[in-house]
Amino acid sequence: MRPIRIIVADDHGLMRRGLSSLLAEQPGFEVVGEACDGNEALGLIESLTPDIAFMDVMMPNMNGLEAAKIVHE
């Protein structure tokens, strides 16, 4: 069975790395990328086509809500 591919986007590096580490330890999950803002998350979503993107609501340049809206469209 293929693992669930995940991107984690958060402007706080400690939070981003911590969540990525926790998810990567779980069977069936694979963290394929990390982003520090919504713009970077969109680029990773386009290039890596993850199954799930965990995005912080409040990030600089473009927040997670704006990025999610663009992905949805």
Side-chain angles (χ1 to χ4, degrees), residues 55-72:
M55 293 191 278
D56 185 10
V57 174
M58 298 178 68
M59 294 185 286
N61 303 320
M62 180 186 297
N63 68 45
L65 295 175
E66 293 169 322
K69 182 179 178 184
I70 291 169
V71 170
H72 180 71

Side-chain angles (χ1 to χ4, degrees), residues 8 15-26 31 34:
V8 176
M15 190 70 175
R16 184 177 61 245
R17 287 186 300 274
L19 182 56
S20 293
S21 179
L22 286 172
L23 289 168
E25 292 175 0
Q26 302 306 310
V31 177
E34 295 183 12

Side-chain angles (χ1 to χ4, degrees), residues 31-43:
V31 177
V32 295
E34 295 183 12
C36 63
D37 63 30
N39 289 324
E40 189 176 3
L42 288 176

